[in-house]
Amino acid sequence: METDCIKEALPVGTRLLHIGPHKTGTTAIQGALFAAKDTMPAHGVDFPAHSRHPMEAALAACARPAMMGDTVPTDKHWTRLLDAVRATGDRTSVISSEFFADAQDDETLARIVEQLGGERVHILITLRPLARIMPSQWQQYVQNGLRMGYDNWLEHMLRKAPYEQPNPSFWRRHRHDRLVERWTRVVGPERVTVVVVDDSDRDGLLRTFETLLGLPANLLRPVPDAANRSLTLAETEMLRKLNVEFRGNGLPDELYSKLVRNGAVMHMKNACSPTP
């Protein structure tokens, strides 16, 4: 398992699967890869996904439900991605979705790896310190309907065994030792690379992907994305209280997805630029 500075590209024909987990720079790298999808083939690398983030395909592969009110993932989403991957032939390709970190058992992981190309698959895991992840992940849960305040949520996640309520997905994603162990059991340590993201080096992750994929330096560029900025505590608290009212009035999940997460929240992120 590679954890030192990355100096060499993966073998030509590798299918690089970046599994996140969440809040480790996934959106930034997905945006940069998608923006360069027409440039990378000249350097022998394909980005087979049809969108920046093939979330529905990853959810379907892991048999996970959609976010509140979103499109229900089906086998068709996963099959479409697999067809696109196979179409890359013997070329190097890269896929990124943090939802692959939600795969629950070795059988599911083994099936995903086999369908993506078996021994050609190399797993990339990106990690950040839990102290940085926890506030970001809590507010993301709030954007998906969570009504619990941060202090109470921390109490449940850290002090109330078995630490599964209200979000059983959290430790499945962020017990990073176990996450790495699960994928290593399936593909072997030589086909797992773990990168600890350095928050002081904003472009470091892009440079790492370039090295692994054998791309020229600075081909991957940051893509401004106001829609992905973190909410402030005040914004998150306002949204949390809206969630309480939403549930209290028995409104449908589809309305939440349309009017709140993809409506009011997106407007707030794009219209406001809070100070650090």
Side-chain angles (χ1 to χ4, degrees):
M1 180 171 57
E2 179 65 53
T3 57
D4 296 328
C5 294
I6 297 167
K7 301 180 179 68
E8 296 182 359
L10 295 168
V12 173
T14 293
R15 290 174 176 171
L16 180 62
L17 178 61
H18 175 217
I19 67 163
H22 298 65
K23 300 303 176 184
T24 61
T26 51
T27 299
I29 195 63
Q30 288 156 7
L33 289 169
F34 189 66
K37 67 183 180 66
D38 294 330
T39 307
M40 291 192 297
H43 304 282
V45 180
D46 292 328
F47 183 78
H50 295 88
S51 63
R52 177 189 61 79
H53 178 199
M55 178 173 65
E56 290 85 2
L59 288 170
C62 298
R64 300 288 296 157
M67 291 196 293
M68 183 176 169
D70 279 2
T71 301
V72 176
T74 68
D75 287 341
K76 289 183 178 179
H77 292 107
W78 178 229
T79 300
R80 184 187 187 199
L81 179 60
L82 289 177
D83 289 343
V85 171
R86 294 187 188 110
T88 66
D90 294 331
R91 295 165 61 81
T92 298
S93 57
V94 54
I95 302 158
S96 175
S97 175
E98 55 269 40
F99 286 97
F100 284 112
D102 287 353
Q104 297 190 49
D105 53 59
D106 288 9
E107 181 180 356
T108 300
L109 271 62
R111 174 178 51 78
I112 290 170
V113 169
E114 184 60 31
Q115 290 176 324
L116 284 173
E119 293 185 357
R120 293 177 61 182
V121 176
H122 189 98
I123 305 301
L124 176 60
I125 303 173
T126 45
L127 302 180
R128 293 177 75 211
L130 277 173
R132 301 297 300 270
I133 284 176
M134 295 196 84
S136 296
Q137 188 71 90
W138 167 73
Q139 61 142 294
Q140 197 67 51
Y141 285 129
V142 172
Q143 292 180 56
N144 196 39
L146 180 70
R147 290 162 286 170
M148 184 178 288
Y150 188 45
D151 287 350
N152 196 12
W153 183 80
L154 287 175
E155 186 76 18
H156 279 73
M157 290 293 99
L158 296 172
R159 290 182 174 172
K160 294 193 175 182
Y163 319 106
E164 294 180 350
Q165 298 298 328
N167 302 113
S169 63
F170 181 81
W171 288 117
R172 188 180 307 120
R173 298 168 178 175
H174 298 299
R175 267 299 302 262
H176 296 151
D177 54 339
R178 293 181 180 175
L179 178 66
V180 173
E181 286 171 0
R182 283 200 299 273
W183 287 92
T184 300
R185 281 198 303 269
V186 171
V187 302
E190 70 283 353
R191 286 164 49 206
V192 175
T193 296
V194 178
V195 176
V196 178
V197 179
D198 182 356
D199 288 329
S200 67
D201 182 4
R202 298 184 65 85
D203 294 339
L205 188 56
L206 299 178
R207 307 290 81 82
T208 296
F209 268 79
E210 288 169 347
T211 301
L212 286 170
L213 295 169
L215 294 171
N218 299 310
L219 186 142
L220 298 179
R221 307 299 302 168
V223 177
D225 185 9
N228 190 50
R229 75 162 175 85
S230 296
L231 298 178
T232 65
L233 179 58
E235 289 171 334
T236 310
E237 276 297 292
M238 180 179 69
L239 177 59
R240 186 180 67 82
K241 291 177 180 179
L242 175 61
N243 292 345
V244 172
E245 293 298 319
F246 188 93
R247 281 301 192 199
N249 284 277
L251 298 172
D253 289 355
E254 293 77 9
L255 202 60
Y256 187 89
S257 175
K258 180 179 180 180
L259 297 183
V260 182
R261 186 172 59 251
N262 296 312
V265 172
M266 288 298 101
H267 175 76
M268 181 166 58
K269 288 183 175 182
N270 285 284
C272 305
S273 297
T275 57

